[in-house]
Amino acid sequence: APTLARGVEPRTPASAAATLRRTPLIMYLHALATAVPRASFTPAACAVLAQRPSVRARISRRSSLILQSILRSDHGIATRHFAVGDVDRVFELSSDELNAAFRSEGPKLAGRALSAALAQAGVQANEIDALLICTCTGYLCPGLTSYVAEQLGVRPNAFLQDLVGLGCGAAIPTLRAASHIVASQPGAVVACIAVEICSAAFFLDDDPGVLISACLFSDGAAATLWRSTPGPTGLRAFDFRTLHRPAERDKLRFEQRDGKLRNLLDRSVPELAAAAVDTLWRERGSRPVAGVVAHPGGRDVLEALAPVVAPYNLAASIATLRDFGNMSSPSVLFALDRTLRDGTDTADGDLWLVSFGAGFSAHSCRVGRG
């Protein structure tokens, strides 16, 4: 067994986590921009798509009625955006065609979001020192960072990092990774993008979770720029925390079926999300909170979260779900963007961000001053 140096105590997982939280990571927000595909669909339009003979042939009559019931009810979503060009045939496309759609549309949408963020900050693409992109709705090797770097003209010696497989919660762990780059290279410009082409991961069968997924998910991208010096808002991201419960892994994850991604979505997900968020919320510390920004996973999820974070409301998350659907990882950043544009006062308190998803995992951080 390895020996410890004299006077050095072994680090327990709890002490290691505490050390990470004590490490001063000063990372200031310089820009936040979002992008969605130009093609938008109302629930009524999606209900018409679900009545196509090619769709009805894939599922039972009962499942078809479930789809219609969800899409025509008040399920919290008014508009969704899809990037796959032939959305009328999205459930007929082969795995190769879906992969090609992700490879084509993922870099475009990510590039649009990052271009807007760069314009906000007055930064050129060749000034980016590190580019991090998270996604879970497709797989490329090399990853999306290679395509976006080429598309925008990022320097050949910039650091590129792709984070794949973290699901809907991925945006906050990606920011956490960026914070360590900023800490180690104080002059660096670090760009983070969360992008999902959920329409390239649509699957349809009679499983209730699969049916619900088809009614919830949509496409989007959010880009942020970070530096070690204060930006226009003076806001910084800090106090990153994470929680993972592998025993619940099969309640929410992708699996492969016929070469396609098939989303497993258990009916207990709202309760799992609420329990995980409650754990992180209780560990948030004593700094005052001005508002809560949560991943808008769905109407039932937000209803389960509401009592956990009361008396703070989830208005920005509810509005994000309404206007865009569940975009997976970018969603929490869309909600943050709405919160900042709505003028939430952060002078005397932080925004508490929380995301959750596959794993089952949950992640939080603070965005505030000081």
Side-chain angles (χ1 to χ4, degrees), residues 10-34:
R11 293 175 69 197
T12 65
S15 67
T19 300
L20 280 173
R21 290 197 291 270
R22 288 197 301 268
T23 304
L25 302 174
I26 309 300
M27 182 174 77
Y28 288 95
L29 178 65
H30 279 247
L32 167 57
T34 63

Side-chain angles (χ1 to χ4, degrees), residues 13-14 26 34 51 57 66 103 164 174 181 245 266 318-319 348 360:
I26 309 300
T34 63
Q51 289 179 322
I66 290 173
R103 180 177 178 178
V164 179
T174 302
I181 297 174
R245 292 173 169 163
D266 191 84
I318 293 169
D348 299 318
F360 191 89

